[in-house]
Amino acid sequence: MTDVSHAPPPSQHRLRAEKITLGYQDTLITQALSLDIPDQQFTVILGPNGCGKSTLLRGLSRLLTPREGSITFDGKQLDHYPRHELAKLLGLLPQSAIAPGGVTVHDLVARGRFPHQSFLRRWTAADEQAVRAAIAATQIEPLLEQSVESLSGGQRQRVWVAMVLAQDTPYLLLDEPTTYLDIAHQIELLELFKTLNQQQGRTIVAVLHDLNHACRYADHLVVMKSGEIIAQGAPKQIITETLIKEVYGLNSVILDDPLTHTPLVLPNTL
């Protein structure tokens, strides 16, 4: 996969949302929300169901156009980028992705190379290398000739992750990437994203539900409630019992994780 360590330093914010209002038909989800995504960091968006996490990610990927405000990459509004050009910068793993009927695992992963194809540019050695690297990283070699629809939920999720990795973008936007996965595969994927971030300089933005996974892997947390950003910053700086109560309505005890020394959230039901 491409080394993107030449990207701008973390002090710059290439992907920015300024006073955006997002919604579906007559329902508004966020209003006047602003957010800078730290470059070359692992950002996790947290919050209860229905708070606007996935909607925000859809906006950041141009799947959803703001009704007001703007989302920019390198100072240019997302809707001003040609589709293929933007797809070389932002890779998106949506929630509940659906594959075309009958497509094999290998064919679906290969579709991640669509931004790099054109009428004049056909399949190259670089395309093949990117696909092979994505397959190896997600450990789906035994599944390549199977149809995607025949797979279990966890297997399908790893295949979709492989497709996004094959796209080979400096930014990865991941909507609940660990859905359907058992704990071992959850950790494998999160470790993979951590490696892509730390060794290749890729910017990762993921929606997660597991507070402790978020605290362990994220450099930067964005905590949402009812369409608003309640807190953001490093896990050690913002995760408190008061915040957990405010956002989730849950009494908790915050301990120091003995392995990573990041916040460890324990529900307090006593």
Side-chain angles (χ1 to χ4, degrees):
M1 294 184 185
T2 303
D3 183 354
V4 294
S5 58
H6 60 276
S11 59
Q12 301 179 31
H13 301 287
R14 304 181 74 189
L15 183 58
R16 308 184 68 182
E18 185 174 359
K19 297 182 179 179
I20 58 170
T21 296
L22 299 169
Y24 306 96
Q25 297 179 341
D26 296 330
T27 303
L28 294 182
I29 306 298
T30 74
Q31 289 184 273
L33 183 150
S34 295
L35 174 67
D36 291 343
I37 298 298
D39 296 314
Q40 301 181 39
Q41 292 192 29
F42 194 156
T43 293
V44 170
I45 304 174
L46 286 171
N49 292 335
C51 71
K53 303 184 299 295
S54 294
T55 298
L56 174 58
L57 203 69
R58 288 171 63 86
L60 293 175
S61 65
R62 204 175 77 175
L63 278 184
L64 189 61
T65 301
R67 300 183 182 185
E68 296 179 2
S70 64
I71 300 174
T72 59
F73 190 91
D74 285 343
K76 181 178 177 180
Q77 292 198 42
L78 292 192
D79 58 4
H80 291 175
Y81 280 89
R83 178 171 172 264
H84 271 60
E85 184 180 346
L86 187 63
K88 292 179 182 179
L89 299 171
L90 305 178
L92 172 68
L93 175 66
Q95 194 178 97
S96 303
I98 300 175
V103 68
T104 67
V105 168
H106 185 275
D107 287 345
L108 185 65
V109 177
R111 293 187 184 198
R113 299 302 295 168
F114 82 91
H116 307 274
Q117 306 300 306
S118 67
F119 179 75
L120 297 177
R121 184 190 180 282
R122 298 302 183 181
W123 195 260
T124 67
D127 295 322
E128 188 64 31
Q129 181 181 3
V131 169
R132 288 180 179 177
I135 289 169
T138 51
Q139 301 179 17
I140 58 172
E141 292 93 338
L143 308 176
L144 295 182
E145 300 308 316
Q146 296 186 41
S147 68
V148 176
E149 58 193 353
S150 73
L151 303 179
S152 69
Q155 289 172 327
R156 275 198 300 270
Q157 190 71 355
R158 284 192 287 148
V159 170
W160 281 108
V161 170
M163 191 195 77
V164 175
L165 293 182
Q167 198 171 329
D168 204 13
T169 57
Y171 277 60
L172 289 173
L173 309 180
L174 310 165
D175 196 353
E176 299 187 28
T178 57
T179 297
Y180 307 119
L181 299 180
D182 59 47
I183 185 64
H185 283 119
Q186 288 181 36
I187 297 301
E188 285 177 3
L189 268 191
L190 290 168
E191 287 288 335
L192 171 61
F193 299 143
K194 178 182 175 181
T195 297
L196 293 174
N197 168 246
Q198 295 185 350
Q199 296 185 12
Q200 298 186 14
R202 294 172 189 259
T203 300
I204 311 291
V205 185
V207 170
L208 295 180
H209 278 294
D210 191 300
L211 288 168
N212 292 322
H213 284 172
C215 289
R216 174 171 283 197
Y217 286 96
D219 302 301
H220 185 78
L221 294 179
V222 177
V223 183
M224 297 185 66
K225 180 183 179 183
S226 302
E228 298 181 356
I229 294 175
I230 302 300
Q232 59 178 313
K236 280 189 176 182
Q237 294 174 342
I238 68 168
I239 294 297
T240 64
E241 294 164 8
T242 300
L243 179 70
I244 300 302
K245 179 67 174 178
E246 177 185 359
V247 173
Y248 294 96
L250 178 70
N251 293 321
S252 64
V253 176
I254 310 294
L255 303 178
D256 182 65
D257 187 312
L259 297 179
T260 59
H261 301 291
T262 51
L264 183 63
V265 182
L266 300 179
N268 182 5
T269 59
L270 300 179

mmCIF file of all heavy atoms in Angstrom, residues 167-207:
data_model
loop_
_atom_site.group_PDB
_atom_site.id
_atom_site.type_symbol
_atom_site.label_atom_id
_atom_site.label_comp_id
_atom_site.label_asym_id
_atom_site.label_seq_id
_atom_site.Cartn_x
_atom_site.Cartn_y
_atom_site.Cartn_z
ATOM 1 N N GLN A 167 -8.615 0.592 -1.984
ATOM 2 C CA GLN A 167 -8.782 1.934 -2.558
ATOM 3 C C GLN A 167 -7.548 2.785 -2.303
ATOM 4 O O GLN A 167 -7.253 3.708 -3.052
ATOM 5 C CB GLN A 167 -10.031 2.587 -1.958
ATOM 6 C CG GLN A 167 -10.574 3.762 -2.719
ATOM 7 C CD GLN A 167 -11.930 4.202 -2.168
ATOM 8 O OE1 GLN A 167 -12.705 3.380 -1.661
ATOM 9 N NE2 GLN A 167 -12.215 5.481 -2.244
ATOM 10 N N ASP A 168 -6.817 2.472 -1.215
ATOM 11 C CA ASP A 168 -5.490 3.024 -0.958
ATOM 12 C C ASP A 168 -5.518 4.549 -0.833
ATOM 13 O O ASP A 168 -4.797 5.263 -1.542
ATOM 14 C CB ASP A 168 -4.529 2.601 -2.061
ATOM 15 C CG ASP A 168 -3.079 2.607 -1.601
ATOM 16 O OD1 ASP A 168 -2.838 2.687 -0.387
ATOM 17 O OD2 ASP A 168 -2.186 2.537 -2.474
ATOM 18 N N THR A 169 -6.340 5.034 0.082
ATOM 19 C CA THR A 169 -6.500 6.478 0.282
ATOM 20 C C THR A 169 -5.772 6.935 1.540
ATOM 21 O O THR A 169 -5.606 6.160 2.482
ATOM 22 C CB THR A 169 -7.988 6.834 0.429
ATOM 23 O OG1 THR A 169 -8.538 6.067 1.514
ATOM 24 C CG2 THR A 169 -8.746 6.525 -0.848
ATOM 25 N N PRO A 170 -5.372 8.210 1.607
ATOM 26 C CA PRO A 170 -4.739 8.715 2.827
ATOM 27 C C PRO A 170 -5.714 8.897 3.982
ATOM 28 O O PRO A 170 -5.294 8.983 5.130
ATOM 29 C CB PRO A 170 -4.143 10.060 2.395
ATOM 30 C CG PRO A 170 -4.956 10.478 1.222
ATOM 31 C CD PRO A 170 -5.358 9.204 0.522
ATOM 32 N N TYR A 171 -7.026 8.964 3.687
ATOM 33 C CA TYR A 171 -8.054 9.106 4.714
ATOM 34 C C TYR A 171 -8.995 7.907 4.645
ATOM 35 O O TYR A 171 -9.479 7.548 3.563
ATOM 36 C CB TYR A 171 -8.876 10.385 4.510
ATOM 37 C CG TYR A 171 -8.232 11.623 5.086
ATOM 38 C CD1 TYR A 171 -6.989 12.047 4.638
ATOM 39 C CD2 TYR A 171 -8.849 12.372 6.090
ATOM 40 C CE1 TYR A 171 -6.380 13.172 5.160
ATOM 41 C CE2 TYR A 171 -8.257 13.494 6.621
ATOM 42 C CZ TYR A 171 -7.021 13.891 6.156
ATOM 43 O OH TYR A 171 -6.421 15.001 6.689
ATOM 44 N N LEU A 172 -9.274 7.302 5.810
ATOM 45 C CA LEU A 172 -10.221 6.198 5.899
ATOM 46 C C LEU A 172 -11.352 6.605 6.842
ATOM 47 O O LEU A 172 -11.106 6.947 7.999
ATOM 48 C CB LEU A 172 -9.542 4.940 6.439
ATOM 49 C CG LEU A 172 -8.556 4.236 5.503
ATOM 50 C CD1 LEU A 172 -7.839 3.116 6.254
ATOM 51 C CD2 LEU A 172 -9.264 3.680 4.281
ATOM 52 N N LEU A 173 -12.585 6.576 6.350
ATOM 53 C CA LEU A 173 -13.774 6.894 7.131
ATOM 54 C C LEU A 173 -14.556 5.600 7.319
ATOM 55 O O LEU A 173 -15.035 5.015 6.344
ATOM 56 C CB LEU A 173 -14.628 7.946 6.411
ATOM 57 C CG LEU A 173 -13.896 9.207 5.939
ATOM 58 C CD1 LEU A 173 -14.862 10.163 5.248
ATOM 59 C CD2 LEU A 173 -13.199 9.908 7.087
ATOM 60 N N LEU A 174 -14.684 5.160 8.566
ATOM 61 C CA LEU A 174 -15.172 3.814 8.860
ATOM 62 C C LEU A 174 -16.382 3.886 9.787
ATOM 63 O O LEU A 174 -16.275 4.344 10.926
ATOM 64 C CB LEU A 174 -14.059 3.004 9.531
ATOM 65 C CG LEU A 174 -12.702 3.032 8.817
ATOM 66 C CD1 LEU A 174 -11.597 2.522 9.738
ATOM 67 C CD2 LEU A 174 -12.757 2.210 7.532
ATOM 68 N N ASP A 175 -17.522 3.429 9.303
ATOM 69 C CA ASP A 175 -18.752 3.473 10.100
ATOM 70 C C ASP A 175 -18.974 2.111 10.749
ATOM 71 O O ASP A 175 -19.393 1.157 10.088
ATOM 72 C CB ASP A 175 -19.948 3.848 9.223
ATOM 73 C CG ASP A 175 -21.151 4.280 10.050
ATOM 74 O OD1 ASP A 175 -21.097 4.151 11.293
ATOM 75 O OD2 ASP A 175 -22.129 4.752 9.456
ATOM 76 N N GLU A 176 -18.667 2.033 12.029
ATOM 77 C CA GLU A 176 -18.798 0.798 12.811
ATOM 78 C C GLU A 176 -18.079 -0.372 12.129
ATOM 79 O O GLU A 176 -18.696 -1.391 11.786
ATOM 80 C CB GLU A 176 -20.277 0.475 13.056
ATOM 81 C CG GLU A 176 -20.999 1.565 13.836
ATOM 82 C CD GLU A 176 -22.411 1.162 14.231
ATOM 83 O OE1 GLU A 176 -22.653 -0.045 14.394
ATOM 84 O OE2 GLU A 176 -23.261 2.060 14.380
ATOM 85 N N PRO A 177 -16.767 -0.261 11.919
ATOM 86 C CA PRO A 177 -16.033 -1.295 11.181
ATOM 87 C C PRO A 177 -15.959 -2.643 11.898
ATOM 88 O O PRO A 177 -15.673 -3.651 11.267
ATOM 89 C CB PRO A 177 -14.635 -0.684 11.031
ATOM 90 C CG PRO A 177 -14.510 0.251 12.192
ATOM 91 C CD PRO A 177 -15.887 0.824 12.369
ATOM 92 N N THR A 178 -16.201 -2.668 13.206
ATOM 93 C CA THR A 178 -16.105 -3.936 13.949
ATOM 94 C C THR A 178 -17.452 -4.631 14.122
ATOM 95 O O THR A 178 -17.552 -5.640 14.816
ATOM 96 C CB THR A 178 -15.479 -3.693 15.334
ATOM 97 O OG1 THR A 178 -16.252 -2.718 16.052
ATOM 98 C CG2 THR A 178 -14.052 -3.186 15.211
ATOM 99 N N THR A 179 -18.506 -4.112 13.471
ATOM 100 C CA THR A 179 -19.823 -4.740 13.538
ATOM 101 C C THR A 179 -19.752 -6.187 13.052
ATOM 102 O O THR A 179 -19.072 -6.489 12.070
ATOM 103 C CB THR A 179 -20.815 -3.960 12.655
ATOM 104 O OG1 THR A 179 -20.947 -2.647 13.166
ATOM 105 C CG2 THR A 179 -22.184 -4.617 12.655
ATOM 106 N N TYR A 180 -20.445 -7.074 13.742
ATOM 107 C CA TYR A 180 -20.560 -8.502 13.410
ATOM 108 C C TYR A 180 -19.309 -9.318 13.725
ATOM 109 O O TYR A 180 -19.316 -10.537 13.558
ATOM 110 C CB TYR A 180 -20.911 -8.732 11.918
ATOM 111 C CG TYR A 180 -22.114 -7.995 11.441
ATOM 112 C CD1 TYR A 180 -22.013 -7.063 10.413
ATOM 113 C CD2 TYR A 180 -23.364 -8.216 12.002
ATOM 114 C CE1 TYR A 180 -23.121 -6.378 9.942
ATOM 115 C CE2 TYR A 180 -24.485 -7.531 11.548
ATOM 116 C CZ TYR A 180 -24.352 -6.616 10.522
ATOM 117 O OH TYR A 180 -25.447 -5.939 10.074
ATOM 118 N N LEU A 181 -18.230 -8.678 14.142
ATOM 119 C CA LEU A 181 -16.979 -9.406 14.355
ATOM 120 C C LEU A 181 -16.868 -9.908 15.785
ATOM 121 O O LEU A 181 -17.282 -9.225 16.733
ATOM 122 C CB LEU A 181 -15.780 -8.507 14.046
ATOM 123 C CG LEU A 181 -15.679 -7.964 12.616
ATOM 124 C CD1 LEU A 181 -14.446 -7.092 12.480
ATOM 125 C CD2 LEU A 181 -15.654 -9.091 11.606
ATOM 126 N N ASP A 182 -16.274 -11.091 15.950
ATOM 127 C CA ASP A 182 -15.980 -11.556 17.297
ATOM 128 C C ASP A 182 -14.827 -10.735 17.857
ATOM 129 O O ASP A 182 -14.175 -9.963 17.138
ATOM 130 C CB ASP A 182 -15.656 -13.054 17.303
ATOM 131 C CG ASP A 182 -14.471 -13.415 16.414
ATOM 132 O OD1 ASP A 182 -13.428 -12.745 16.491
ATOM 133 O OD2 ASP A 182 -14.581 -14.378 15.634
ATOM 134 N N ILE A 183 -14.567 -10.892 19.154
ATOM 135 C CA ILE A 183 -13.617 -10.014 19.828
ATOM 136 C C ILE A 183 -12.225 -10.123 19.228
ATOM 137 O O ILE A 183 -11.510 -9.120 19.097
ATOM 138 C CB ILE A 183 -13.591 -10.306 21.353
ATOM 139 C CG1 ILE A 183 -12.686 -9.311 22.073
ATOM 140 C CG2 ILE A 183 -13.187 -11.741 21.622
ATOM 141 C CD1 ILE A 183 -13.145 -7.881 22.008
ATOM 142 N N ALA A 184 -11.805 -11.333 18.817
ATOM 143 C CA ALA A 184 -10.470 -11.495 18.248
ATOM 144 C C ALA A 184 -10.330 -10.715 16.944
ATOM 145 O O ALA A 184 -9.322 -10.020 16.726
ATOM 146 C CB ALA A 184 -10.167 -12.979 18.013
ATOM 147 N N HIS A 185 -11.356 -10.794 16.075
ATOM 148 C CA HIS A 185 -11.287 -10.067 14.808
ATOM 149 C C HIS A 185 -11.473 -8.564 15.012
ATOM 150 O O HIS A 185 -10.931 -7.763 14.249
ATOM 151 C CB HIS A 185 -12.320 -10.616 13.827
ATOM 152 C CG HIS A 185 -11.926 -11.908 13.190
ATOM 153 N ND1 HIS A 185 -12.657 -13.065 13.337
ATOM 154 C CD2 HIS A 185 -10.851 -12.248 12.439
ATOM 155 C CE1 HIS A 185 -12.060 -14.043 12.682
ATOM 156 N NE2 HIS A 185 -10.964 -13.577 12.138
ATOM 157 N N GLN A 186 -12.220 -8.168 16.018
ATOM 158 C CA GLN A 186 -12.314 -6.738 16.337
ATOM 159 C C GLN A 186 -10.934 -6.173 16.641
ATOM 160 O O GLN A 186 -10.537 -5.133 16.108
ATOM 161 C CB GLN A 186 -13.233 -6.528 17.539
ATOM 162 C CG GLN A 186 -14.703 -6.735 17.267
ATOM 163 C CD GLN A 186 -15.555 -6.492 18.501
ATOM 164 O OE1 GLN A 186 -15.260 -5.608 19.293
ATOM 165 N NE2 GLN A 186 -16.599 -7.283 18.680
ATOM 166 N N ILE A 187 -10.202 -6.869 17.519
ATOM 167 C CA ILE A 187 -8.884 -6.387 17.906
ATOM 168 C C ILE A 187 -7.922 -6.416 16.723
ATOM 169 O O ILE A 187 -7.124 -5.486 16.521
ATOM 170 C CB ILE A 187 -8.333 -7.224 19.080
ATOM 171 C CG1 ILE A 187 -9.234 -7.059 20.314
ATOM 172 C CG2 ILE A 187 -6.898 -6.813 19.412
ATOM 173 C CD1 ILE A 187 -9.381 -5.640 20.801
ATOM 174 N N GLU A 188 -7.993 -7.466 15.904
ATOM 175 C CA GLU A 188 -7.129 -7.537 14.723
ATOM 176 C C GLU A 188 -7.348 -6.337 13.812
ATOM 177 O O GLU A 188 -6.388 -5.728 13.318
ATOM 178 C CB GLU A 188 -7.401 -8.831 13.956
ATOM 179 C CG GLU A 188 -6.814 -10.077 14.603
ATOM 180 C CD GLU A 188 -7.178 -11.339 13.841
ATOM 181 O OE1 GLU A 188 -7.841 -11.218 12.779
ATOM 182 O OE2 GLU A 188 -6.808 -12.428 14.299
ATOM 183 N N LEU A 189 -8.620 -5.982 13.571
ATOM 184 C CA LEU A 189 -8.902 -4.845 12.700
ATOM 185 C C LEU A 189 -8.435 -3.536 13.323
ATOM 186 O O LEU A 189 -7.843 -2.689 12.646
ATOM 187 C CB LEU A 189 -10.395 -4.767 12.392
ATOM 188 C CG LEU A 189 -10.894 -5.484 11.139
ATOM 189 C CD1 LEU A 189 -12.339 -5.076 10.857
ATOM 190 C CD2 LEU A 189 -10.027 -5.179 9.925
ATOM 191 N N LEU A 190 -8.711 -3.352 14.603
ATOM 192 C CA LEU A 190 -8.294 -2.117 15.255
ATOM 193 C C LEU A 190 -6.771 -1.988 15.276
ATOM 194 O O LEU A 190 -6.230 -0.890 15.095
ATOM 195 C CB LEU A 190 -8.867 -2.058 16.676
ATOM 196 C CG LEU A 190 -10.388 -1.861 16.743
ATOM 197 C CD1 LEU A 190 -10.898 -2.099 18.160
ATOM 198 C CD2 LEU A 190 -10.781 -0.470 16.263
ATOM 199 N N GLU A 191 -6.083 -3.103 15.455
ATOM 200 C CA GLU A 191 -4.620 -3.084 15.386
ATOM 201 C C GLU A 191 -4.160 -2.742 13.967
ATOM 202 O O GLU A 191 -3.164 -2.025 13.784
ATOM 203 C CB GLU A 191 -4.051 -4.437 15.823
ATOM 204 C CG GLU A 191 -4.143 -4.693 17.323
ATOM 205 C CD GLU A 191 -3.174 -3.838 18.128
ATOM 206 O OE1 GLU A 191 -2.135 -3.419 17.575
ATOM 207 O OE2 GLU A 191 -3.470 -3.565 19.314
ATOM 208 N N LEU A 192 -4.875 -3.252 12.966
ATOM 209 C CA LEU A 192 -4.543 -2.921 11.581
ATOM 210 C C LEU A 192 -4.695 -1.423 11.334
ATOM 211 O O LEU A 192 -3.806 -0.783 10.748
ATOM 212 C CB LEU A 192 -5.436 -3.709 10.628
ATOM 213 C CG LEU A 192 -5.361 -3.321 9.147
ATOM 214 C CD1 LEU A 192 -3.958 -3.521 8.594
ATOM 215 C CD2 LEU A 192 -6.384 -4.131 8.343
ATOM 216 N N PHE A 193 -5.815 -0.844 11.785
ATOM 217 C CA PHE A 193 -6.022 0.586 11.591
ATOM 218 C C PHE A 193 -4.948 1.395 12.334
ATOM 219 O O PHE A 193 -4.457 2.407 11.828
ATOM 220 C CB PHE A 193 -7.413 0.997 12.071
ATOM 221 C CG PHE A 193 -8.538 0.310 11.346
ATOM 222 C CD1 PHE A 193 -9.697 -0.067 12.011
ATOM 223 C CD2 PHE A 193 -8.437 0.029 9.988
ATOM 224 C CE1 PHE A 193 -10.725 -0.702 11.352
ATOM 225 C CE2 PHE A 193 -9.463 -0.613 9.313
ATOM 226 C CZ PHE A 193 -10.611 -0.980 9.995
ATOM 227 N N LYS A 194 -4.587 0.938 13.517
ATOM 228 C CA LYS A 194 -3.530 1.597 14.282
ATOM 229 C C LYS A 194 -2.210 1.573 13.513
ATOM 230 O O LYS A 194 -1.483 2.580 13.460
ATOM 231 C CB LYS A 194 -3.377 0.904 15.639
ATOM 232 C CG LYS A 194 -2.270 1.453 16.522
ATOM 233 C CD LYS A 194 -2.189 0.648 17.815
ATOM 234 C CE LYS A 194 -1.024 1.091 18.683
ATOM 235 N NZ LYS A 194 -0.952 0.266 19.936
ATOM 236 N N THR A 195 -1.902 0.429 12.897
ATOM 237 C CA THR A 195 -0.673 0.312 12.117
ATOM 238 C C THR A 195 -0.700 1.229 10.895
ATOM 239 O O THR A 195 0.288 1.911 10.587
ATOM 240 C CB THR A 195 -0.473 -1.147 11.663
ATOM 241 O OG1 THR A 195 -0.327 -1.968 12.820
ATOM 242 C CG2 THR A 195 0.770 -1.283 10.792
ATOM 243 N N LEU A 196 -1.827 1.261 10.191
ATOM 244 C CA LEU A 196 -1.954 2.148 9.037
ATOM 245 C C LEU A 196 -1.760 3.602 9.437
ATOM 246 O O LEU A 196 -1.167 4.395 8.695
ATOM 247 C CB LEU A 196 -3.327 1.968 8.383
ATOM 248 C CG LEU A 196 -3.592 0.622 7.713
ATOM 249 C CD1 LEU A 196 -5.048 0.540 7.246
ATOM 250 C CD2 LEU A 196 -2.643 0.395 6.550
ATOM 251 N N ASN A 197 -2.269 3.947 10.609
ATOM 252 C CA ASN A 197 -2.125 5.310 11.099
ATOM 253 C C ASN A 197 -0.680 5.616 11.505
ATOM 254 O O ASN A 197 -0.083 6.609 11.062
ATOM 255 C CB ASN A 197 -3.062 5.532 12.284
ATOM 256 C CG ASN A 197 -2.779 6.820 13.024
ATOM 257 O OD1 ASN A 197 -2.372 6.796 14.178
ATOM 258 N ND2 ASN A 197 -2.955 7.943 12.371
ATOM 259 N N GLN A 198 -0.094 4.768 12.317
ATOM 260 C CA GLN A 198 1.209 5.068 12.902
ATOM 261 C C GLN A 198 2.373 4.833 11.948
ATOM 262 O O GLN A 198 3.365 5.561 11.995
ATOM 263 C CB GLN A 198 1.401 4.253 14.176
ATOM 264 C CG GLN A 198 0.426 4.631 15.290
ATOM 265 C CD GLN A 198 0.703 3.912 16.594
ATOM 266 O OE1 GLN A 198 1.507 2.981 16.650
ATOM 267 N NE2 GLN A 198 0.037 4.329 17.656
ATOM 268 N N GLN A 199 2.266 3.839 11.077
ATOM 269 C CA GLN A 199 3.382 3.512 10.207
ATOM 270 C C GLN A 199 3.271 4.122 8.819
ATOM 271 O O GLN A 199 4.285 4.351 8.154
ATOM 272 C CB GLN A 199 3.539 1.988 10.092
ATOM 273 C CG GLN A 199 3.902 1.311 11.406
ATOM 274 C CD GLN A 199 4.169 -0.172 11.254
ATOM 275 O OE1 GLN A 199 4.297 -0.694 10.144
ATOM 276 N NE2 GLN A 199 4.255 -0.883 12.372
ATOM 277 N N GLN A 200 2.043 4.399 8.363
ATOM 278 C CA GLN A 200 1.855 4.956 7.033
ATOM 279 C C GLN A 200 1.292 6.370 7.054
ATOM 280 O O GLN A 200 1.122 6.982 6.006
ATOM 281 C CB GLN A 200 0.956 4.045 6.199
ATOM 282 C CG GLN A 200 1.532 2.661 5.984
ATOM 283 C CD GLN A 200 0.700 1.834 5.032
ATOM 284 O OE1 GLN A 200 -0.167 2.355 4.323
ATOM 285 N NE2 GLN A 200 0.945 0.539 4.997
ATOM 286 N N GLY A 201 0.990 6.865 8.238
ATOM 287 C CA GLY A 201 0.499 8.237 8.343
ATOM 288 C C GLY A 201 -0.920 8.443 7.862
ATOM 289 O O GLY A 201 -1.333 9.573 7.591
ATOM 290 N N ARG A 202 -1.687 7.373 7.744
ATOM 291 C CA ARG A 202 -3.061 7.539 7.278
ATOM 292 C C ARG A 202 -3.932 8.138 8.383
ATOM 293 O O ARG A 202 -3.769 7.816 9.556
ATOM 294 C CB ARG A 202 -3.644 6.197 6.838
ATOM 295 C CG ARG A 202 -2.958 5.608 5.620
ATOM 296 C CD ARG A 202 -3.448 4.202 5.375
ATOM 297 N NE ARG A 202 -2.656 3.567 4.341
ATOM 298 C CZ ARG A 202 -3.051 3.444 3.068
ATOM 299 N NH1 ARG A 202 -4.223 3.926 2.706
ATOM 300 N NH2 ARG A 202 -2.281 2.860 2.183
ATOM 301 N N THR A 203 -4.844 8.975 7.986
ATOM 302 C CA THR A 203 -5.807 9.555 8.918
ATOM 303 C C THR A 203 -7.014 8.624 8.990
ATOM 304 O O THR A 203 -7.631 8.312 7.968
ATOM 305 C CB THR A 203 -6.240 10.952 8.449
ATOM 306 O OG1 THR A 203 -5.082 11.799 8.381
ATOM 307 C CG2 THR A 203 -7.251 11.562 9.409
ATOM 308 N N ILE A 204 -7.339 8.179 10.209
ATOM 309 C CA ILE A 204 -8.447 7.260 10.419
ATOM 310 C C ILE A 204 -9.561 7.983 11.175
ATOM 311 O O ILE A 204 -9.303 8.630 12.192
ATOM 312 C CB ILE A 204 -8.009 6.028 11.246
ATOM 313 C CG1 ILE A 204 -6.726 5.403 10.689
ATOM 314 C CG2 ILE A 204 -9.141 5.015 11.345
ATOM 315 C CD1 ILE A 204 -6.859 4.733 9.375
ATOM 316 N N VAL A 205 -10.776 7.880 10.671
ATOM 317 C CA VAL A 205 -11.954 8.403 11.373
ATOM 318 C C VAL A 205 -12.955 7.254 11.457
ATOM 319 O O VAL A 205 -13.427 6.767 10.424
ATOM 320 C CB VAL A 205 -12.593 9.595 10.652
ATOM 321 C CG1 VAL A 205 -13.733 10.177 11.488
ATOM 322 C CG2 VAL A 205 -11.558 10.670 10.345
ATOM 323 N N ALA A 206 -13.269 6.810 12.673
ATOM 324 C CA ALA A 206 -14.137 5.640 12.837
ATOM 325 C C ALA A 206 -15.257 5.932 13.819
ATOM 326 O O ALA A 206 -15.043 6.592 14.847
ATOM 327 C CB ALA A 206 -13.327 4.437 13.328
ATOM 328 N N VAL A 207 -16.434 5.448 13.500
ATOM 329 C CA VAL A 207 -17.550 5.420 14.442
ATOM 330 C C VAL A 207 -17.474 4.096 15.192
ATOM 331 O O VAL A 207 -17.480 3.028 14.570
ATOM 332 C CB VAL A 207 -18.907 5.549 13.728
ATOM 333 C CG1 VAL A 207 -20.052 5.282 14.697
ATOM 334 C CG2 VAL A 207 -19.057 6.926 13.100
#
